[in-house]
Amino acid sequence: MKKISALTLVIMTGLFLSICGCADSDTTNVDVNSTQVEAEDNSPNVTAPEETSLPNMETESENHTQMDSASKKILVAYFSHTGNTRVIANQIHEKVGGDIFEIVTVNPYPTDYDAVVDQAKQEQEDNYRPQLKTKVENMDSYDVVFIGYPNWWGTMPMSVFTFLEEYDFSGKTIIPFCTHEGSGLGRSVEDITELCPQSTILDGLAIRGSSVETAQDDVSEWLRKIGMAE
């Protein structure tokens, strides 16, 4: 009887230890699998906010640039003898806004074509500065100044030289435009650059005098190209 009881006790003890070992192995496997599931679930949660935030950042940057452009104060200044340059100046003003100003001389130029051509040539040869009748009272307040004129003898009329020398254009953006009958901007941009060395000079526009009434598309395209219109 004692032998049977001892044998029974040994068998029961072995079974008990085997059961405990199986229970510990299952618990370890569950912990490993649980860790893998958490890592997989976390991956998309980290990536998603980065993907959605990028478009918002670009939109804010574009809006900031547009606000900077809109805050510029603009002046459209021009000299016109026959009225052609005035037409282009008004077209620009309609599209960019701001203020418009006509450069007028104290002594008007002759209305006769040959007479005004001769006077313009003589003024250029003499490096003459005609006295101006009109004046911009608050030039310091403008950031961008459009300068318009007819092309006389390859450059601006001398009245525009007077205008550019009467004010300090340092730090301003100057945008030239002219009317002509074949000579384009001539050397006027070089002359403006020499007169206003501390200014930023953007690409100019040249429109034939015979085409000013139908130049709206050319004006709009030019303004978009230089960043002054959408």
Side-chain angles (χ1 to χ4, degrees):
M1 289 292 294
K2 289 181 180 181
K3 290 182 179 181
I4 294 173
S5 298
L7 181 60
T8 302
L9 180 60
V10 169
I11 293 172
M12 291 179 64
T13 301
L15 290 174
F16 177 80
L17 292 174
S18 176
I19 292 171
C20 289
C22 291
D24 289 342
S25 178
D26 288 345
T27 302
T28 303
N29 290 337
V30 171
D31 289 342
V32 172
N33 292 337
S34 176
T35 303
Q36 292 173 346
V37 170
E38 289 175 0
E40 291 168 359
D41 289 344
N42 284 341
S43 297
N45 291 337
V46 173
T47 305
E50 294 179 355
E51 292 174 353
T52 56
S53 63
L54 290 177
N56 293 335
M57 291 172 63
E58 292 174 356
T59 301
E60 290 173 3
S61 177
E62 291 172 359
N63 290 339
H64 182 66
T65 301
Q66 291 173 0
M67 286 191 301
D68 286 348
S69 178
S71 66
K72 302 283 187 185
K73 189 166 183 182
I74 298 172
L75 175 67
V76 181
Y78 69 94
F79 171 81
S80 184
H81 179 249
T82 64
N84 287 336
T85 306
R86 182 181 298 111
V87 172
I88 300 300
N90 285 328
Q91 291 176 7
I92 294 170
H93 181 236
E94 288 174 3
K95 296 183 182 302
V96 303
D99 298 325
I100 191 165
F101 174 83
E102 182 170 7
I103 301 168
V104 180
T105 57
V106 171
N107 297 314
Y109 285 93
T111 56
D112 178 73
Y113 176 79
D114 290 334
V116 74
V117 166
D118 290 342
Q119 181 174 333
K121 184 177 182 181
Q122 190 63 52
E123 287 182 353
Q124 191 176 118
E125 290 177 351
D126 295 341
N127 200 27
Y128 179 68
R129 299 294 189 270
Q131 186 178 354
L132 302 184
K133 183 178 181 180
T134 53
K135 185 176 179 64
V136 179
E137 298 296 339
N138 55 341
M139 182 62 80
D140 290 344
S141 67
Y142 294 102
D143 305 296
V144 178
V145 181
F146 287 83
I147 301 289
Y149 45 87
N151 185 328
W152 284 1
W153 292 100
T155 188
M156 309 170 289
M158 299 311 291
S159 55
V160 180
F161 281 75
T162 303
F163 176 80
L164 291 173
E165 291 176 345
E166 282 192 347
Y167 306 96
D168 182 8
F169 289 90
S170 298
K172 299 184 187 299
T173 297
I174 296 177
I175 309 176
F177 64 97
C178 83
T179 54
H180 68 99
E181 289 303 337
S183 51
L185 287 161
R187 65 178 184 278
S188 63
V189 175
E190 288 83 356
D191 288 337
I192 293 172
T193 301
E194 185 176 345
L195 290 169
C196 308
Q198 302 302 319
S199 301
T200 300
I201 316 297
L202 299 189
D203 292 340
L205 173 70
I207 298 290
R208 282 185 175 270
S210 57
S211 303
V212 296
E213 297 294 345
T214 57
Q216 290 89 344
D217 289 344
D218 291 334
V219 170
S220 296
E221 182 181 354
W222 168 64
L223 290 173
R224 285 193 295 269
K225 182 179 178 181
I226 63 174
M228 293 302 299
E230 296 181 359

Short mmCIF file of all heavy atoms in Angstrom, two decimals, residues 60-108:
data_model
loop_
_atom_site.label_atom_id
_atom_site.label_comp_id
_atom_site.label_asym_id
_atom_site.label_seq_id
_atom_site.Cartn_x
_atom_site.Cartn_y
_atom_site.Cartn_z
N GLU A 60 -0.99 78.82 -46.90
CA GLU A 60 -0.65 79.97 -46.08
C GLU A 60 0.46 80.78 -46.71
O GLU A 60 0.45 82.00 -46.71
CB GLU A 60 -0.22 79.50 -44.68
CG GLU A 60 -1.38 78.94 -43.85
CD GLU A 60 -0.89 78.32 -42.55
OE1 GLU A 60 0.33 78.39 -42.30
OE2 GLU A 60 -1.72 77.78 -41.82
N SER A 61 1.45 80.12 -47.34
CA SER A 61 2.55 80.81 -47.99
C SER A 61 2.06 81.61 -49.18
O SER A 61 2.46 82.76 -49.38
CB SER A 61 3.61 79.80 -48.44
OG SER A 61 4.65 80.44 -49.13
N GLU A 62 1.17 81.03 -50.01
CA GLU A 62 0.63 81.73 -51.16
C GLU A 62 -0.18 82.94 -50.73
O GLU A 62 -0.07 84.02 -51.31
CB GLU A 62 -0.25 80.78 -51.98
CG GLU A 62 0.55 79.68 -52.68
CD GLU A 62 -0.34 78.64 -53.31
OE1 GLU A 62 -1.58 78.79 -53.17
OE2 GLU A 62 0.18 77.70 -53.92
N ASN A 63 -0.99 82.80 -49.68
CA ASN A 63 -1.78 83.91 -49.20
C ASN A 63 -0.89 85.04 -48.70
O ASN A 63 -1.18 86.21 -48.91
CB ASN A 63 -2.71 83.45 -48.07
CG ASN A 63 -3.81 82.54 -48.59
OD1 ASN A 63 -4.12 82.55 -49.78
ND2 ASN A 63 -4.40 81.76 -47.71
N HIS A 64 0.23 84.69 -48.05
CA HIS A 64 1.14 85.69 -47.52
C HIS A 64 1.76 86.50 -48.66
O HIS A 64 1.87 87.72 -48.58
CB HIS A 64 2.23 85.02 -46.69
CG HIS A 64 3.19 85.98 -46.06
ND1 HIS A 64 2.81 86.86 -45.08
CD2 HIS A 64 4.51 86.21 -46.29
CE1 HIS A 64 3.85 87.59 -44.72
NE2 HIS A 64 4.89 87.21 -45.45
N THR A 65 2.13 85.80 -49.77
CA THR A 65 2.72 86.48 -50.91
C THR A 65 1.72 87.42 -51.55
O THR A 65 2.05 88.54 -51.92
CB THR A 65 3.20 85.44 -51.96
OG1 THR A 65 4.16 84.59 -51.34
CG2 THR A 65 3.82 86.13 -53.16
N GLN A 66 0.47 86.99 -51.68
CA GLN A 66 -0.55 87.82 -52.28
C GLN A 66 -0.82 89.06 -51.44
O GLN A 66 -1.00 90.16 -51.96
CB GLN A 66 -1.84 87.02 -52.47
CG GLN A 66 -1.72 85.93 -53.53
CD GLN A 66 -2.94 85.04 -53.58
OE1 GLN A 66 -3.88 85.23 -52.80
NE2 GLN A 66 -2.92 84.06 -54.45
N MET A 67 -0.81 88.92 -50.12
CA MET A 67 -1.05 90.06 -49.25
C MET A 67 0.09 91.07 -49.37
O MET A 67 -0.12 92.27 -49.38
CB MET A 67 -1.22 89.60 -47.80
CG MET A 67 -2.55 88.94 -47.52
SD MET A 67 -2.85 88.70 -45.76
CE MET A 67 -1.46 87.70 -45.29
N ASP A 68 1.35 90.58 -49.49
CA ASP A 68 2.49 91.47 -49.65
C ASP A 68 2.35 92.30 -50.92
O ASP A 68 2.63 93.49 -50.94
CB ASP A 68 3.79 90.67 -49.67
CG ASP A 68 4.16 90.16 -48.29
OD1 ASP A 68 3.53 90.62 -47.32
OD2 ASP A 68 5.04 89.29 -48.19
N SER A 69 1.95 91.63 -52.02
CA SER A 69 1.79 92.33 -53.29
C SER A 69 0.67 93.35 -53.23
O SER A 69 0.79 94.46 -53.74
CB SER A 69 1.52 91.31 -54.40
OG SER A 69 1.31 91.96 -55.63
N ALA A 70 -0.43 92.98 -52.60
CA ALA A 70 -1.58 93.88 -52.52
C ALA A 70 -1.30 95.11 -51.66
O ALA A 70 -1.95 96.14 -51.82
CB ALA A 70 -2.79 93.12 -51.98
N SER A 71 -0.34 95.02 -50.75
CA SER A 71 -0.07 96.13 -49.83
C SER A 71 0.80 97.20 -50.46
O SER A 71 1.01 98.25 -49.87
CB SER A 71 0.60 95.60 -48.56
OG SER A 71 1.89 95.08 -48.86
N LYS A 72 1.35 96.98 -51.67
CA LYS A 72 2.19 97.96 -52.34
C LYS A 72 1.36 99.16 -52.78
O LYS A 72 0.28 99.01 -53.33
CB LYS A 72 2.86 97.34 -53.57
CG LYS A 72 3.72 96.11 -53.28
CD LYS A 72 5.04 96.48 -52.68
CE LYS A 72 5.94 95.27 -52.56
NZ LYS A 72 7.20 95.56 -51.88
N LYS A 73 1.89 100.37 -52.56
CA LYS A 73 1.19 101.57 -53.03
C LYS A 73 1.75 101.95 -54.40
O LYS A 73 2.97 102.07 -54.58
CB LYS A 73 1.36 102.72 -52.04
CG LYS A 73 0.48 103.92 -52.40
CD LYS A 73 0.37 104.93 -51.28
CE LYS A 73 -0.59 106.05 -51.69
NZ LYS A 73 -0.68 107.09 -50.64
N ILE A 74 0.86 102.15 -55.36
CA ILE A 74 1.25 102.29 -56.77
C ILE A 74 0.90 103.68 -57.31
O ILE A 74 -0.16 104.23 -57.03
CB ILE A 74 0.53 101.22 -57.62
CG1 ILE A 74 0.94 99.82 -57.16
CG2 ILE A 74 0.82 101.41 -59.10
CD1 ILE A 74 0.14 98.71 -57.80
N LEU A 75 1.84 104.21 -58.12
CA LEU A 75 1.60 105.45 -58.86
C LEU A 75 1.85 105.17 -60.35
O LEU A 75 2.88 104.59 -60.71
CB LEU A 75 2.55 106.55 -58.39
CG LEU A 75 2.48 107.87 -59.18
CD1 LEU A 75 1.13 108.56 -58.97
CD2 LEU A 75 3.64 108.80 -58.80
N VAL A 76 0.91 105.57 -61.19
CA VAL A 76 1.09 105.52 -62.64
C VAL A 76 1.32 106.95 -63.12
O VAL A 76 0.39 107.75 -63.14
CB VAL A 76 -0.13 104.90 -63.35
CG1 VAL A 76 0.11 104.84 -64.87
CG2 VAL A 76 -0.42 103.50 -62.81
N ALA A 77 2.55 107.28 -63.45
CA ALA A 77 2.91 108.62 -63.92
C ALA A 77 3.23 108.56 -65.41
O ALA A 77 3.86 107.60 -65.88
CB ALA A 77 4.12 109.15 -63.14
N TYR A 78 2.82 109.58 -66.16
CA TYR A 78 3.04 109.54 -67.61
C TYR A 78 3.12 110.95 -68.19
O TYR A 78 2.56 111.91 -67.66
CB TYR A 78 1.92 108.77 -68.30
CG TYR A 78 0.58 109.49 -68.28
CD1 TYR A 78 0.18 110.29 -69.35
CD2 TYR A 78 -0.27 109.39 -67.18
CE1 TYR A 78 -1.03 110.98 -69.32
CE2 TYR A 78 -1.48 110.06 -67.15
CZ TYR A 78 -1.85 110.85 -68.21
OH TYR A 78 -3.04 111.55 -68.18
N PHE A 79 3.84 111.04 -69.29
CA PHE A 79 3.84 112.24 -70.13
C PHE A 79 3.26 111.85 -71.48
O PHE A 79 3.64 110.83 -72.06
CB PHE A 79 5.25 112.80 -70.32
CG PHE A 79 5.32 113.91 -71.34
CD1 PHE A 79 4.98 115.20 -70.99
CD2 PHE A 79 5.69 113.63 -72.66
CE1 PHE A 79 5.03 116.22 -71.94
CE2 PHE A 79 5.74 114.64 -73.61
CZ PHE A 79 5.41 115.95 -73.24
N SER A 80 2.31 112.64 -71.98
CA SER A 80 1.68 112.32 -73.26
C SER A 80 1.52 113.60 -74.07
O SER A 80 1.04 114.62 -73.55
CB SER A 80 0.31 111.67 -73.03
OG SER A 80 -0.27 111.27 -74.25
N HIS A 81 1.91 113.53 -75.33
CA HIS A 81 1.79 114.71 -76.22
C HIS A 81 0.56 114.61 -77.11
O HIS A 81 -0.25 115.54 -77.17
CB HIS A 81 3.05 114.87 -77.07
CG HIS A 81 2.99 116.03 -78.01
ND1 HIS A 81 2.89 115.89 -79.38
CD2 HIS A 81 2.99 117.37 -77.77
CE1 HIS A 81 2.84 117.09 -79.93
NE2 HIS A 81 2.90 118.01 -78.98
N THR A 82 0.39 113.47 -77.79
CA THR A 82 -0.76 113.30 -78.69
C THR A 82 -1.93 112.57 -78.04
O THR A 82 -3.01 112.51 -78.61
CB THR A 82 -0.34 112.53 -79.95
OG1 THR A 82 0.07 111.20 -79.56
CG2 THR A 82 0.81 113.23 -80.66
N GLY A 83 -1.69 111.98 -76.87
CA GLY A 83 -2.75 111.24 -76.17
C GLY A 83 -2.56 109.74 -76.18
O GLY A 83 -3.24 109.02 -75.44
N ASN A 84 -1.65 109.22 -77.00
CA ASN A 84 -1.44 107.78 -77.08
C ASN A 84 -0.95 107.19 -75.75
O ASN A 84 -1.44 106.15 -75.28
CB ASN A 84 -0.44 107.44 -78.19
CG ASN A 84 -1.03 107.62 -79.58
OD1 ASN A 84 -2.24 107.57 -79.76
ND2 ASN A 84 -0.17 107.86 -80.56
N THR A 85 0.04 107.83 -75.17
CA THR A 85 0.58 107.32 -73.90
C THR A 85 -0.46 107.41 -72.79
O THR A 85 -0.50 106.56 -71.90
CB THR A 85 1.86 108.09 -73.51
OG1 THR A 85 2.79 108.03 -74.60
CG2 THR A 85 2.50 107.48 -72.28
N ARG A 86 -1.30 108.42 -72.86
CA ARG A 86 -2.38 108.57 -71.86
C ARG A 86 -3.33 107.36 -71.92
O ARG A 86 -3.79 106.87 -70.88
CB ARG A 86 -3.15 109.85 -72.09
CG ARG A 86 -4.27 110.10 -71.06
CD ARG A 86 -5.04 111.38 -71.34
NE ARG A 86 -4.17 112.54 -71.26
CZ ARG A 86 -3.82 113.29 -72.31
NH1 ARG A 86 -4.26 112.99 -73.52
NH2 ARG A 86 -3.02 114.33 -72.14
N VAL A 87 -3.62 106.88 -73.11
CA VAL A 87 -4.51 105.72 -73.26
C VAL A 87 -3.91 104.51 -72.56
O VAL A 87 -4.60 103.79 -71.82
CB VAL A 87 -4.75 105.41 -74.76
CG1 VAL A 87 -5.51 104.09 -74.92
CG2 VAL A 87 -5.53 106.55 -75.42
N ILE A 88 -2.63 104.24 -72.79
CA ILE A 88 -1.98 103.09 -72.15
C ILE A 88 -1.90 103.28 -70.64
O ILE A 88 -2.13 102.33 -69.87
CB ILE A 88 -0.58 102.86 -72.74
CG1 ILE A 88 -0.66 102.60 -74.25
CG2 ILE A 88 0.12 101.70 -72.03
CD1 ILE A 88 -1.50 101.39 -74.62
N ALA A 89 -1.63 104.50 -70.22
CA ALA A 89 -1.57 104.77 -68.77
C ALA A 89 -2.90 104.47 -68.10
O ALA A 89 -2.95 103.87 -67.01
CB ALA A 89 -1.17 106.23 -68.53
N ASN A 90 -3.99 104.85 -68.74
CA ASN A 90 -5.31 104.58 -68.18
C ASN A 90 -5.62 103.08 -68.15
O ASN A 90 -6.24 102.59 -67.21
CB ASN A 90 -6.39 105.32 -68.98
CG ASN A 90 -6.41 106.81 -68.68
OD1 ASN A 90 -6.11 107.23 -67.56
ND2 ASN A 90 -6.74 107.62 -69.68
N GLN A 91 -5.18 102.36 -69.18
CA GLN A 91 -5.39 100.91 -69.19
C GLN A 91 -4.62 100.24 -68.05
O GLN A 91 -5.15 99.33 -67.38
CB GLN A 91 -4.94 100.32 -70.53
CG GLN A 91 -5.82 100.72 -71.71
CD GLN A 91 -5.29 100.21 -73.04
OE1 GLN A 91 -4.32 99.44 -73.08
NE2 GLN A 91 -5.91 100.62 -74.13
N ILE A 92 -3.41 100.67 -67.81
CA ILE A 92 -2.62 100.13 -66.69
C ILE A 92 -3.29 100.47 -65.37
O ILE A 92 -3.43 99.61 -64.49
CB ILE A 92 -1.18 100.69 -66.74
CG1 ILE A 92 -0.44 100.18 -67.98
CG2 ILE A 92 -0.42 100.31 -65.47
CD1 ILE A 92 0.89 100.86 -68.22
N HIS A 93 -3.70 101.71 -65.23
CA HIS A 93 -4.32 102.17 -63.98
C HIS A 93 -5.59 101.38 -63.67
O HIS A 93 -5.86 101.04 -62.52
CB HIS A 93 -4.62 103.66 -64.09
CG HIS A 93 -5.23 104.24 -62.86
ND1 HIS A 93 -6.44 104.93 -62.86
CD2 HIS A 93 -4.81 104.23 -61.58
CE1 HIS A 93 -6.72 105.31 -61.62
NE2 HIS A 93 -5.76 104.91 -60.83
N GLU A 94 -6.37 101.08 -64.70
CA GLU A 94 -7.59 100.31 -64.49
C GLU A 94 -7.30 98.92 -63.94
O GLU A 94 -8.09 98.36 -63.18
CB GLU A 94 -8.36 100.19 -65.82
CG GLU A 94 -9.02 101.48 -66.27
CD GLU A 94 -9.65 101.35 -67.65
OE1 GLU A 94 -9.61 100.22 -68.20
OE2 GLU A 94 -10.16 102.35 -68.16
N LYS A 95 -6.15 98.36 -64.29
CA LYS A 95 -5.83 96.99 -63.90
C LYS A 95 -5.06 96.89 -62.58
O LYS A 95 -5.23 95.92 -61.84
CB LYS A 95 -5.05 96.29 -65.02
CG LYS A 95 -5.87 96.15 -66.30
CD LYS A 95 -5.12 95.39 -67.37
CE LYS A 95 -5.95 95.30 -68.65
NZ LYS A 95 -7.26 94.64 -68.42
N VAL A 96 -4.22 97.87 -62.29
CA VAL A 96 -3.41 97.77 -61.07
C VAL A 96 -3.89 98.68 -59.94
O VAL A 96 -3.47 98.53 -58.79
CB VAL A 96 -1.92 98.08 -61.37
CG1 VAL A 96 -1.38 97.15 -62.43
CG2 VAL A 96 -1.72 99.55 -61.76
N GLY A 97 -4.77 99.65 -60.28
CA GLY A 97 -5.25 100.57 -59.25
C GLY A 97 -4.20 101.60 -58.89
O GLY A 97 -3.34 101.95 -59.69
N GLY A 98 -4.26 102.08 -57.65
CA GLY A 98 -3.32 103.11 -57.21
C GLY A 98 -3.74 104.48 -57.69
O GLY A 98 -4.91 104.75 -57.96
N ASP A 99 -2.76 105.38 -57.82
CA ASP A 99 -3.01 106.76 -58.26
C ASP A 99 -2.44 106.96 -59.65
O ASP A 99 -1.51 106.26 -60.07
CB ASP A 99 -2.35 107.75 -57.29
CG ASP A 99 -2.93 107.63 -55.88
OD1 ASP A 99 -4.14 107.36 -55.76
OD2 ASP A 99 -2.17 107.81 -54.91
N ILE A 100 -2.97 107.95 -60.37
CA ILE A 100 -2.48 108.27 -61.70
C ILE A 100 -2.11 109.75 -61.75
O ILE A 100 -2.78 110.59 -61.12
CB ILE A 100 -3.51 107.90 -62.79
CG1 ILE A 100 -2.89 107.99 -64.19
CG2 ILE A 100 -4.77 108.74 -62.66
CD1 ILE A 100 -3.73 107.30 -65.26
N PHE A 101 -1.02 110.07 -62.46
CA PHE A 101 -0.48 111.43 -62.45
C PHE A 101 0.06 111.76 -63.84
O PHE A 101 0.82 110.98 -64.42
CB PHE A 101 0.65 111.52 -61.42
CG PHE A 101 1.38 112.83 -61.42
CD1 PHE A 101 0.88 113.92 -60.72
CD2 PHE A 101 2.58 112.97 -62.11
CE1 PHE A 101 1.57 115.14 -60.72
CE2 PHE A 101 3.27 114.17 -62.11
CZ PHE A 101 2.77 115.27 -61.41
N GLU A 102 -0.34 112.91 -64.38
CA GLU A 102 0.16 113.34 -65.69
C GLU A 102 1.27 114.36 -65.51
O GLU A 102 1.13 115.36 -64.79
CB GLU A 102 -0.96 113.94 -66.54
CG GLU A 102 -0.47 114.34 -67.93
CD GLU A 102 -1.59 114.72 -68.88
OE1 GLU A 102 -2.76 114.80 -68.42
OE2 GLU A 102 -1.32 114.93 -70.08
N ILE A 103 2.39 114.10 -66.18
CA ILE A 103 3.52 115.03 -66.19
C ILE A 103 3.22 116.10 -67.24
O ILE A 103 3.05 115.81 -68.43
CB ILE A 103 4.82 114.29 -66.54
CG1 ILE A 103 5.10 113.18 -65.53
CG2 ILE A 103 5.99 115.26 -66.62
CD1 ILE A 103 6.19 112.20 -65.95
N VAL A 104 3.15 117.35 -66.80
CA VAL A 104 2.80 118.47 -67.69
C VAL A 104 3.87 119.54 -67.58
O VAL A 104 4.29 119.91 -66.48
CB VAL A 104 1.42 119.06 -67.32
CG1 VAL A 104 1.07 120.22 -68.25
CG2 VAL A 104 0.34 117.99 -67.36
N THR A 105 4.33 120.04 -68.72
CA THR A 105 5.34 121.09 -68.73
C THR A 105 4.71 122.48 -68.59
O THR A 105 3.56 122.69 -68.99
CB THR A 105 6.16 121.05 -70.03
OG1 THR A 105 5.27 121.16 -71.14
CG2 THR A 105 6.93 119.74 -70.13
N VAL A 106 5.47 123.41 -68.04
CA VAL A 106 4.99 124.79 -67.91
C VAL A 106 4.74 125.37 -69.30
O VAL A 106 3.70 126.00 -69.56
CB VAL A 106 6.03 125.64 -67.14
CG1 VAL A 106 5.65 127.12 -67.19
CG2 VAL A 106 6.14 125.16 -65.69
N ASN A 107 5.66 125.15 -70.21
CA ASN A 107 5.51 125.61 -71.59
C ASN A 107 5.11 124.43 -72.46
O ASN A 107 5.93 123.52 -72.68
CB ASN A 107 6.81 126.22 -72.11
CG ASN A 107 7.22 127.45 -71.31
OD1 ASN A 107 6.39 128.32 -71.03
ND2 ASN A 107 8.49 127.54 -70.94
N PRO A 108 3.88 124.40 -72.95
CA PRO A 108 3.43 123.26 -73.75
C PRO A 108 4.25 123.09 -75.03
O PRO A 108 4.75 124.06 -75.60
CB PRO A 108 1.97 123.63 -74.08
CG PRO A 108 1.59 124.66 -73.07
CD PRO A 108 2.83 125.41 -72.76
#
